[in-house]
Amino acid sequence: MDKLIIKGGMPLIGKIKVSNAKNATLPILAACLLTDKPCQINQVPMLQDIKTMIGLLKALGVQVNFKNSTVDICAGHNMTLEAPYDIVRKMRASYYVLGPLLARFHKAKVYLPGGCSIGPRPIDLHIKGMESLGAQMNIEHGFIDAQTDKLQGANILLEGNFGPSVGATANVMMAATLAQGTTTIIGAALEPEIVDLGNFLKAMGAQIQGLGSSQISITGVKQLNGTEWTPIPDRIEAGTFACVAVASQGIIEIENCEPKHLEAVVLTLKEMSCSITHAENSIIVKTNGRPKPVSITTAPYPGFPTDLQAQFMAALTIADGTSHITEKIFKSRFLHALELNRMGADIAIDDNKAIINGKEKLSGAKVMASDLRASAALVIAGLCAEGETEISRIYHLDRGYESLEQKLTGLGAKIERVASRN
Ligand code: UD1
């Protein structure tokens, strides 16, 4: 297993380019199952999660060619309608094949994705959505066996106890594109990745209204066409690089980002005393000494994203005062706090709240990554800590950050990947 060795403590300065969004690309790849015509997806990031989705599509019988950041994909008629456990267990987003398979083939068998280190991850809203469209959903022996004679449009309330669900909105929206009649999702997710998926489906010929609002209407069509698409830039990667600027007390120009997807993040950075300059496709984050402490509460878009909670926590460990973070989406998503404390941070966790007493400096240590965004938080901490930080289990990082060491090295970071036997 590889490790990252970081020698931190210096300001990072320069330009860094964001890749396109993993969380937009994954459902878009699954949506290609909705047509037997070829689709071409451009500027796809080379990430483990993308490779896993491609592996899953291939296992279903889809022809996929991933070369030079372009995915050529064609889901013909000779398909297997079962998503194998060995692939699904690697990535929760595998459940994105459920809606498209049910819509086009009226049958799907998908192993249950299970929990993960950021806490319980129920799928009741996905099940409710498909049942509302007329599918019979049997859950037995650890898999979902779904079938239907035909999907029928319906009004579906998709909000759960923790607000709208990105995944369930995507799954129901994909399924409804080929259903009979009109489906209205009430309590739909507003995330830019949902809007991007919806626009991709529209380019395939789907009839969708209300994207970016909490009520999305989809009128089913007989069939969809192939199309070409470039997914949106990754707002979470952009926010991660902003935290690198804050923690290293540097100046970073973040290229290939969509500033309007980052409004809550930019407002938080300003409260932390950063100066932010916008251009059309980039932002410049300029820090002014140690960040000021802030209070952050995670929320569905357009609120502060849970996927940046860990990275901001890392940056706030060196704030000039006490910060508070309340996690409202995944209530126990705080494993990174313990590792940050091993680097000299002072973080106390109480249920879904974190209190971060800022310290002047962190000190390098041996730490272990526990999930994708927690890994990014440890990298950020390593970049600002004095001395050497060794991060193990960095395969989590490879799921969601493309060429991270190379990109950070371009800013002057001392970061190196080494192979390790233990
Ligand atoms: C997606 C993102 C993930 C991000 C999350 C929240 C992808 C591949 N993943 O995950 O990175 O952290 O959105 O922005 O895009 N819930 C239920 N029942 C359900 C489904 C979800 O109660 O059936 C709850 C979840 O436990 C959570 C909340 O709803 O508390 C939001 O989850 P959801 O938006 O569904 O997250 P994902 O789509 O899995």
Side-chain angles (χ1 to χ4, degrees), residues 22-24 26-27 49 91-96 118-128 158-170 189 191 193-194 235-236 299-301 305-308 327-331 333 372-373 399:
K22 164 179 92 71
N23 286 354
L26 290 172
D49 275 7
M91 183 183 69
R92 285 186 57 79
S94 302
Y95 56 45
Y96 279 139
I118 67 172
R121 308 276 299 261
I123 54 156
D124 55 307
L125 296 170
H126 298 248
I127 306 285
K128 176 184 175 183
L158 264 194
E159 243 183 47
N161 292 339
F162 301 98
S165 160
V166 175
T169 302
E191 268 69 4
E193 293 76 17
I194 291 291
R235 64 195 168 99
I236 304 303
Y301 187 84
T306 174
D307 282 355
L308 283 173
E327 175 55 66
K328 288 219 166 162
I329 309 290
F330 298 111
K331 290 179 101 182
R333 189 177 201 174
L372 169 56
R373 306 304 170 186
R399 288 187 35 225

Side-chain angles (χ1 to χ4, degrees), residues 14-26:
K15 290 185 185 184
I16 194 162
K17 192 172 172 198
V18 171
S19 301
N20 286 344
K22 164 179 92 71
N23 286 354
T25 308
L26 290 172

